Amino acid sequence: MKRVCESESSADRITDLPADVIQRILVYLPIKDAAKTGVLSSKWRCHWRRIPELVFDDDFAQISSDLAESESKVMNKQVMLNIYRSLLLHDGRITKFVLSVPGLIACREIDQIILYLSTKGVQHLKFVFTGINDEEEGDFQMHSSLFSVSHLKSLKLQSCEFKPPSWFVGFTNLTRLVLEYVTSPFDFFRHFLSMCPMLEYFRAIYPDGPAGQLEIVAPLLKSFIFVGYFQSISFKCTPLLSYVVLHLTESETPDLVSLFASLPVLEQLHVNNEVMKYLAPAGRNTPTRLPIPLHHLKVLEMNTLVFDGSPMECVFVSLIMSSPNLHRLTVQLCDQPAGSEVSCLRSLLEAGDCRGSDCLQHLRKFRIEDSRGTQVELDLVRFVLATASLLEFIHITPYKKLGAKKVTKFMKEVIQYKRASKEAEVRFYWDDDDE
């Protein structure tokens, strides 16, 4: 009898929960599980139909890439039918909608979903299509009703076409935008960011970006991440931009001085070798230190670098010397092309201008990834150890194909170098499973 009473008491507590508490609980459940909570009590039976956030992802369904084309189409239709049913049963406002079912192929039925959502006050939208469309059909074009969602605050699109209608005037409330493998007219994209005056975060992956110049005009933008190709990128009005990732392929950027004059509060910078190459001013010497120091820069990461005696090495040195408050420095290397010039990094680092009192004085962590065990790397490690008085550790990860003898020789050389910081450790992380 006591157990029966306890069970009834627990059921009463579940039934008597306030409606807003029930809503918060259901939001954290996959939608299929949320629908099943109706068995808990009669009061819960219809609550899942008023969930403000609808997420259709891998918890909802998955379409295997191993299926035959006919089976995949049947599965695709079934998934869309189940989504339709959920929306038909839904009764209330929808603030967030996510469609990210693995393997889902974009289809015209999605137009009706977008049209429906545009009337529901949706603020957060995510459409990710990972299924492979018929080549003759091309990328799926998002329905024009998407551009009428006036309350939209965040938008993520993947593998589709983003083409605005002529009446589109911008997303005035959008703060977060992610575009991955999205095609759009260049004339539109060039001006799009300026049509989102509240934008704070932007990320784009454009393997085959359009030709032309992209000027970033976004007064509230704080994070900018761009991976891929664009003929030219420059920052014109970005006074709050503090986090920048530029991994470009054959794209042009402003020269070193011009770029950082437009980024007055930059705190984190991640660039690749292509960007470093274009930062070197054509026909002019790169200054050892920038006219305006990067006082706010604390994290600097440079990927796929090649120390080959090119002007890029001068840019590398200039960035280090112009960042007096740098805390973390990461260098990821790649093979030096055959026939390239001998690196002049050592002479650049040993120059008088590089021995200033503020050089690397706040550096805590230094990482070298994919180390080739070259002399130029030894020169760089020696300089950091001798200069960084607050250094905590140097983390070196040798290239996987580097032989054990070269790694051992490199290690023995490094551990003998003098250290400005008594706390500095040299750590090697090497996986020699292939040896």
Short mmCIF file of all heavy atoms in Angstrom, two decimals, residues 256 276 279 286-290 294 297 300 302 305 307 310-324 326 329 331 343-355 359-360 376 379-380 383:
data_model
loop_
_atom_site.label_atom_id
_atom_site.label_comp_id
_atom_site.label_asym_id
_atom_site.label_seq_id
_atom_site.Cartn_x
_atom_site.Cartn_y
_atom_site.Cartn_z
N LEU A 256 49.75 43.96 -45.23
CA LEU A 256 49.82 43.77 -43.78
C LEU A 256 49.35 45.00 -43.00
O LEU A 256 48.50 44.91 -42.11
CB LEU A 256 51.26 43.43 -43.40
CG LEU A 256 51.52 43.00 -41.96
CD1 LEU A 256 50.85 41.67 -41.68
CD2 LEU A 256 53.03 42.89 -41.71
N MET A 276 49.16 34.61 -45.58
CA MET A 276 50.46 35.19 -45.21
C MET A 276 51.20 35.68 -46.45
O MET A 276 51.85 36.74 -46.43
CB MET A 276 51.29 34.14 -44.49
CG MET A 276 50.70 33.66 -43.16
SD MET A 276 50.87 34.88 -41.85
CE MET A 276 52.62 34.74 -41.50
N LEU A 279 49.75 38.98 -47.67
CA LEU A 279 49.90 40.10 -46.75
C LEU A 279 51.18 40.88 -47.00
O LEU A 279 51.31 42.03 -46.58
CB LEU A 279 49.88 39.61 -45.30
CG LEU A 279 48.51 39.23 -44.72
CD1 LEU A 279 48.66 38.67 -43.31
CD2 LEU A 279 47.57 40.43 -44.72
N THR A 286 58.43 44.76 -45.91
CA THR A 286 57.50 44.56 -44.80
C THR A 286 58.12 45.12 -43.53
O THR A 286 59.27 44.79 -43.20
CB THR A 286 57.21 43.06 -44.60
OG1 THR A 286 56.63 42.53 -45.79
CG2 THR A 286 56.25 42.84 -43.44
N PRO A 287 57.42 45.97 -42.81
CA PRO A 287 58.00 46.54 -41.58
C PRO A 287 58.18 45.45 -40.52
O PRO A 287 57.34 44.55 -40.39
CB PRO A 287 56.95 47.56 -41.14
CG PRO A 287 55.66 47.08 -41.73
CD PRO A 287 56.04 46.46 -43.04
N THR A 288 59.28 45.53 -39.79
CA THR A 288 59.51 44.56 -38.72
C THR A 288 58.43 44.67 -37.66
O THR A 288 58.01 43.67 -37.08
CB THR A 288 60.89 44.79 -38.07
OG1 THR A 288 61.89 44.72 -39.09
CG2 THR A 288 61.17 43.74 -37.00
N ARG A 289 57.96 45.87 -37.41
CA ARG A 289 56.85 46.11 -36.50
C ARG A 289 55.82 46.99 -37.20
O ARG A 289 56.18 47.92 -37.92
CB ARG A 289 57.32 46.79 -35.21
CG ARG A 289 58.24 45.92 -34.35
CD ARG A 289 58.80 46.71 -33.18
NE ARG A 289 59.79 45.96 -32.45
CZ ARG A 289 59.55 45.27 -31.33
NH1 ARG A 289 58.33 45.27 -30.82
NH2 ARG A 289 60.49 44.59 -30.73
N LEU A 290 54.56 46.72 -36.96
CA LEU A 290 53.49 47.50 -37.57
C LEU A 290 53.44 48.90 -36.94
O LEU A 290 53.80 49.07 -35.77
CB LEU A 290 52.15 46.81 -37.36
CG LEU A 290 51.97 45.47 -38.06
CD1 LEU A 290 50.66 44.81 -37.62
CD2 LEU A 290 51.99 45.64 -39.56
N LEU A 294 49.52 45.52 -32.28
CA LEU A 294 48.31 44.72 -32.06
C LEU A 294 48.21 44.41 -30.56
O LEU A 294 48.43 43.27 -30.12
CB LEU A 294 48.38 43.44 -32.88
CG LEU A 294 48.61 43.63 -34.39
CD1 LEU A 294 48.77 42.29 -35.09
CD2 LEU A 294 47.47 44.43 -35.01
N LEU A 297 45.84 41.44 -29.49
CA LEU A 297 46.02 40.10 -30.04
C LEU A 297 46.65 39.17 -29.00
O LEU A 297 47.77 39.40 -28.54
CB LEU A 297 46.88 40.16 -31.30
CG LEU A 297 46.97 38.85 -32.08
CD1 LEU A 297 45.60 38.43 -32.60
CD2 LEU A 297 47.97 38.97 -33.23
N LEU A 300 47.47 33.66 -31.85
CA LEU A 300 47.87 33.71 -33.26
C LEU A 300 48.16 32.29 -33.72
O LEU A 300 49.01 31.59 -33.15
CB LEU A 300 49.11 34.59 -33.43
CG LEU A 300 49.72 34.67 -34.84
CD1 LEU A 300 48.70 35.21 -35.84
CD2 LEU A 300 50.97 35.55 -34.82
N MET A 302 48.93 30.03 -37.29
CA MET A 302 49.27 30.07 -38.71
C MET A 302 49.43 28.65 -39.22
O MET A 302 50.26 27.89 -38.71
CB MET A 302 50.55 30.89 -38.91
CG MET A 302 50.37 32.36 -38.55
SD MET A 302 51.92 33.30 -38.44
CE MET A 302 52.48 32.81 -36.80
N LEU A 305 52.23 26.58 -43.12
CA LEU A 305 53.31 27.53 -43.43
C LEU A 305 54.47 26.82 -44.13
O LEU A 305 54.75 25.65 -43.88
CB LEU A 305 53.83 28.18 -42.15
CG LEU A 305 52.93 29.21 -41.46
CD1 LEU A 305 53.71 29.94 -40.38
CD2 LEU A 305 52.36 30.21 -42.45
N PHE A 307 58.50 27.82 -44.78
CA PHE A 307 59.61 28.77 -44.61
C PHE A 307 60.58 28.54 -45.76
O PHE A 307 61.44 27.66 -45.72
CB PHE A 307 60.30 28.55 -43.26
CG PHE A 307 59.43 28.93 -42.09
CD1 PHE A 307 59.00 27.97 -41.18
CD2 PHE A 307 59.05 30.25 -41.89
CE1 PHE A 307 58.21 28.32 -40.10
CE2 PHE A 307 58.25 30.61 -40.81
CZ PHE A 307 57.83 29.64 -39.91
N SER A 310 60.71 33.35 -48.72
CA SER A 310 59.79 34.28 -49.39
C SER A 310 59.46 35.44 -48.46
O SER A 310 59.73 35.40 -47.25
CB SER A 310 58.51 33.55 -49.78
OG SER A 310 57.79 33.17 -48.62
N PRO A 311 58.80 36.50 -48.99
CA PRO A 311 58.39 37.63 -48.15
C PRO A 311 57.45 37.23 -47.02
O PRO A 311 57.28 37.97 -46.06
CB PRO A 311 57.69 38.56 -49.15
CG PRO A 311 58.31 38.25 -50.46
CD PRO A 311 58.58 36.78 -50.43
N MET A 312 56.84 36.05 -47.14
CA MET A 312 55.96 35.57 -46.08
C MET A 312 56.69 35.50 -44.74
O MET A 312 56.10 35.74 -43.68
CB MET A 312 55.41 34.18 -46.45
CG MET A 312 54.44 33.58 -45.44
SD MET A 312 55.25 32.77 -44.02
CE MET A 312 56.13 31.46 -44.82
N GLU A 313 57.99 35.17 -44.78
CA GLU A 313 58.75 35.08 -43.53
C GLU A 313 58.82 36.44 -42.83
O GLU A 313 58.77 36.53 -41.60
CB GLU A 313 60.15 34.55 -43.81
CG GLU A 313 60.15 33.10 -44.28
CD GLU A 313 61.55 32.56 -44.46
OE1 GLU A 313 62.52 33.35 -44.36
OE2 GLU A 313 61.70 31.35 -44.70
N CYS A 314 58.90 37.50 -43.61
CA CYS A 314 58.91 38.85 -43.04
C CYS A 314 57.56 39.16 -42.37
O CYS A 314 57.51 39.82 -41.33
CB CYS A 314 59.21 39.89 -44.12
SG CYS A 314 60.83 39.72 -44.88
N VAL A 315 56.47 38.70 -42.99
CA VAL A 315 55.15 38.89 -42.41
C VAL A 315 55.05 38.13 -41.10
O VAL A 315 54.52 38.65 -40.10
CB VAL A 315 54.05 38.40 -43.39
CG1 VAL A 315 52.69 38.46 -42.74
CG2 VAL A 315 54.07 39.25 -44.65
N PHE A 316 55.56 36.92 -41.08
CA PHE A 316 55.56 36.09 -39.87
C PHE A 316 56.26 36.83 -38.72
O PHE A 316 55.73 36.93 -37.60
CB PHE A 316 56.26 34.76 -40.16
CG PHE A 316 56.43 33.87 -38.97
CD1 PHE A 316 55.40 33.03 -38.55
CD2 PHE A 316 57.62 33.85 -38.26
CE1 PHE A 316 55.56 32.20 -37.44
CE2 PHE A 316 57.79 33.04 -37.16
CZ PHE A 316 56.76 32.21 -36.74
N VAL A 317 57.43 37.34 -38.98
CA VAL A 317 58.20 38.04 -37.95
C VAL A 317 57.49 39.32 -37.53
O VAL A 317 57.41 39.65 -36.33
CB VAL A 317 59.63 38.35 -38.46
CG1 VAL A 317 60.36 39.26 -37.47
CG2 VAL A 317 60.40 37.06 -38.67
N SER A 318 56.95 40.04 -38.49
CA SER A 318 56.27 41.30 -38.17
C SER A 318 55.07 41.07 -37.25
O SER A 318 54.83 41.85 -36.32
CB SER A 318 55.81 41.98 -39.46
OG SER A 318 55.21 43.22 -39.21
N LEU A 319 54.31 40.00 -37.49
CA LEU A 319 53.15 39.71 -36.64
C LEU A 319 53.59 39.41 -35.20
O LEU A 319 52.97 39.87 -34.24
CB LEU A 319 52.36 38.52 -37.21
CG LEU A 319 51.49 38.81 -38.43
CD1 LEU A 319 50.84 37.52 -38.93
CD2 LEU A 319 50.43 39.84 -38.09
N ILE A 320 54.64 38.63 -35.07
CA ILE A 320 55.13 38.30 -33.72
C ILE A 320 55.64 39.54 -33.01
O ILE A 320 55.33 39.78 -31.83
CB ILE A 320 56.26 37.25 -33.82
CG1 ILE A 320 55.68 35.91 -34.30
CG2 ILE A 320 56.92 37.04 -32.46
CD1 ILE A 320 56.74 34.85 -34.52
N MET A 321 56.41 40.35 -33.70
CA MET A 321 57.01 41.53 -33.09
C MET A 321 55.99 42.62 -32.78
O MET A 321 56.24 43.49 -31.96
CB MET A 321 58.12 42.10 -33.99
CG MET A 321 59.24 41.13 -34.27
SD MET A 321 59.92 40.44 -32.73
CE MET A 321 60.39 38.81 -33.30
N SER A 322 54.86 42.59 -33.48
CA SER A 322 53.85 43.64 -33.30
C SER A 322 52.75 43.24 -32.33
O SER A 322 51.77 43.97 -32.18
CB SER A 322 53.21 43.97 -34.66
OG SER A 322 54.18 44.35 -35.60
N SER A 323 52.92 42.09 -31.66
CA SER A 323 51.89 41.58 -30.74
C SER A 323 52.47 41.43 -29.33
O SER A 323 52.81 40.32 -28.90
CB SER A 323 51.35 40.23 -31.25
OG SER A 323 50.95 40.32 -32.59
N PRO A 324 52.59 42.53 -28.60
CA PRO A 324 53.26 42.50 -27.29
C PRO A 324 52.53 41.69 -26.23
O PRO A 324 53.14 41.28 -25.23
CB PRO A 324 53.34 43.97 -26.90
CG PRO A 324 52.22 44.62 -27.64
CD PRO A 324 52.13 43.90 -28.94
N LEU A 326 50.79 38.78 -26.81
CA LEU A 326 50.49 37.45 -27.33
C LEU A 326 50.64 36.39 -26.24
O LEU A 326 51.67 36.33 -25.57
CB LEU A 326 51.42 37.13 -28.50
CG LEU A 326 51.02 36.00 -29.44
CD1 LEU A 326 49.71 36.31 -30.14
CD2 LEU A 326 52.14 35.74 -30.46
N LEU A 329 50.79 30.96 -29.35
CA LEU A 329 51.28 30.98 -30.72
C LEU A 329 51.33 29.54 -31.24
O LEU A 329 51.91 28.66 -30.61
CB LEU A 329 52.67 31.62 -30.79
CG LEU A 329 53.39 31.58 -32.14
CD1 LEU A 329 52.63 32.38 -33.18
CD2 LEU A 329 54.82 32.10 -32.00
N VAL A 331 52.06 27.21 -34.84
CA VAL A 331 52.57 27.16 -36.21
C VAL A 331 52.41 25.74 -36.72
O VAL A 331 52.95 24.80 -36.12
CB VAL A 331 54.05 27.58 -36.26
CG1 VAL A 331 54.58 27.44 -37.68
CG2 VAL A 331 54.23 29.01 -35.77
N SER A 343 65.68 29.43 -46.22
CA SER A 343 64.98 30.32 -45.30
C SER A 343 65.91 31.37 -44.72
O SER A 343 67.09 31.09 -44.42
CB SER A 343 64.36 29.50 -44.17
OG SER A 343 63.86 30.35 -43.17
N CYS A 344 65.37 32.58 -44.56
CA CYS A 344 66.14 33.66 -43.93
C CYS A 344 65.53 34.02 -42.57
O CYS A 344 65.77 35.10 -42.05
CB CYS A 344 66.19 34.88 -44.83
SG CYS A 344 64.57 35.53 -45.29
N LEU A 345 64.71 33.11 -42.02
CA LEU A 345 64.02 33.40 -40.77
C LEU A 345 65.00 33.69 -39.63
O LEU A 345 64.78 34.59 -38.83
CB LEU A 345 63.10 32.23 -40.39
CG LEU A 345 62.23 32.45 -39.16
CD1 LEU A 345 61.24 33.58 -39.40
CD2 LEU A 345 61.48 31.17 -38.79
N ARG A 346 66.09 32.93 -39.58
CA ARG A 346 67.04 33.11 -38.47
C ARG A 346 67.60 34.52 -38.46
O ARG A 346 67.66 35.18 -37.41
CB ARG A 346 68.17 32.09 -38.57
CG ARG A 346 69.19 32.22 -37.44
CD ARG A 346 70.19 31.09 -37.46
NE ARG A 346 71.14 31.21 -36.36
CZ ARG A 346 72.05 30.27 -36.07
NH1 ARG A 346 72.12 29.17 -36.81
NH2 ARG A 346 72.88 30.44 -35.06
N SER A 347 68.02 35.02 -39.61
CA SER A 347 68.59 36.38 -39.66
C SER A 347 67.54 37.43 -39.33
O SER A 347 67.84 38.45 -38.70
CB SER A 347 69.18 36.64 -41.05
OG SER A 347 68.17 36.53 -42.05
N LEU A 348 66.27 37.17 -39.70
CA LEU A 348 65.20 38.09 -39.35
C LEU A 348 64.97 38.14 -37.85
O LEU A 348 64.77 39.20 -37.26
CB LEU A 348 63.91 37.69 -40.07
CG LEU A 348 63.89 37.87 -41.60
CD1 LEU A 348 62.63 37.22 -42.18
CD2 LEU A 348 63.94 39.34 -41.96
N LEU A 349 64.99 36.96 -37.22
CA LEU A 349 64.76 36.89 -35.78
C LEU A 349 65.92 37.47 -34.98
O LEU A 349 65.72 38.01 -33.88
CB LEU A 349 64.53 35.43 -35.36
CG LEU A 349 63.24 34.77 -35.87
CD1 LEU A 349 63.24 33.28 -35.53
CD2 LEU A 349 62.01 35.44 -35.26
N GLU A 350 67.11 37.37 -35.53
CA GLU A 350 68.29 37.86 -34.80
C GLU A 350 68.55 39.34 -35.04
O GLU A 350 69.46 39.92 -34.43
CB GLU A 350 69.52 37.05 -35.22
CG GLU A 350 69.48 35.60 -34.71
CD GLU A 350 70.69 34.82 -35.15
OE1 GLU A 350 71.44 35.32 -36.03
OE2 GLU A 350 70.90 33.70 -34.63
N ALA A 351 67.75 39.96 -35.88
CA ALA A 351 67.92 41.39 -36.14
C ALA A 351 67.67 42.19 -34.86
O ALA A 351 66.93 41.77 -33.98
CB ALA A 351 66.95 41.84 -37.24
N GLY A 352 68.29 43.36 -34.78
CA GLY A 352 68.19 44.16 -33.56
C GLY A 352 66.77 44.52 -33.19
O GLY A 352 66.41 44.57 -31.99
N ASP A 353 65.90 44.76 -34.19
CA ASP A 353 64.52 45.15 -33.91
C ASP A 353 63.73 44.05 -33.22
O ASP A 353 62.68 44.30 -32.64
CB ASP A 353 63.81 45.53 -35.22
CG ASP A 353 64.33 46.84 -35.79
OD1 ASP A 353 64.96 47.58 -35.02
OD2 ASP A 353 64.12 47.09 -37.00
N CYS A 354 64.21 42.82 -33.33
CA CYS A 354 63.47 41.69 -32.77
C CYS A 354 63.84 41.41 -31.31
O CYS A 354 63.35 40.45 -30.72
CB CYS A 354 63.71 40.43 -33.61
SG CYS A 354 63.13 40.60 -35.30
N ARG A 355 64.70 42.20 -30.75
CA ARG A 355 65.12 41.96 -29.37
C ARG A 355 64.54 43.00 -28.43
O ARG A 355 65.10 43.29 -27.37
CB ARG A 355 66.65 41.99 -29.29
CG ARG A 355 67.32 40.87 -30.07
CD ARG A 355 66.99 39.51 -29.50
NE ARG A 355 67.63 38.43 -30.25
CZ ARG A 355 67.48 37.14 -29.96
NH1 ARG A 355 66.71 36.78 -28.95
NH2 ARG A 355 68.08 36.22 -30.69
N CYS A 359 58.92 41.91 -26.75
CA CYS A 359 58.77 40.80 -27.68
C CYS A 359 58.51 39.48 -26.94
O CYS A 359 59.36 39.01 -26.17
CB CYS A 359 60.03 40.68 -28.54
SG CYS A 359 59.97 39.29 -29.68
N LEU A 360 57.33 38.91 -27.16
CA LEU A 360 56.93 37.61 -26.59
C LEU A 360 56.99 37.57 -25.06
O LEU A 360 57.06 36.48 -24.47
CB LEU A 360 57.80 36.47 -27.17
CG LEU A 360 57.77 36.29 -28.69
CD1 LEU A 360 58.62 35.09 -29.08
CD2 LEU A 360 56.35 36.11 -29.20
N VAL A 376 65.38 25.52 -39.69
CA VAL A 376 64.60 26.73 -39.47
C VAL A 376 63.68 26.56 -38.26
O VAL A 376 63.44 27.51 -37.51
CB VAL A 376 63.81 27.12 -40.73
CG1 VAL A 376 62.73 26.10 -41.06
CG2 VAL A 376 63.18 28.50 -40.57
N ASP A 379 65.79 27.01 -35.19
CA ASP A 379 66.05 28.44 -34.99
C ASP A 379 64.86 29.13 -34.32
O ASP A 379 65.04 29.97 -33.43
CB ASP A 379 66.35 29.12 -36.32
CG ASP A 379 67.64 28.61 -36.96
OD1 ASP A 379 68.49 28.09 -36.22
OD2 ASP A 379 67.77 28.74 -38.19
N LEU A 380 63.66 28.76 -34.74
CA LEU A 380 62.46 29.38 -34.18
C LEU A 380 62.27 28.96 -32.73
O LEU A 380 61.96 29.80 -31.87
CB LEU A 380 61.24 28.96 -35.01
CG LEU A 380 59.88 29.51 -34.56
CD1 LEU A 380 59.90 31.04 -34.52
CD2 LEU A 380 58.77 29.03 -35.50
N PHE A 383 64.77 30.75 -30.51
CA PHE A 383 64.41 32.15 -30.29
C PHE A 383 63.30 32.28 -29.26
O PHE A 383 63.37 33.13 -28.36
CB PHE A 383 63.97 32.78 -31.62
CG PHE A 383 63.49 34.19 -31.50
CD1 PHE A 383 64.38 35.24 -31.40
CD2 PHE A 383 62.12 34.47 -31.46
CE1 PHE A 383 63.94 36.54 -31.27
CE2 PHE A 383 61.67 35.76 -31.34
CZ PHE A 383 62.58 36.81 -31.24
#
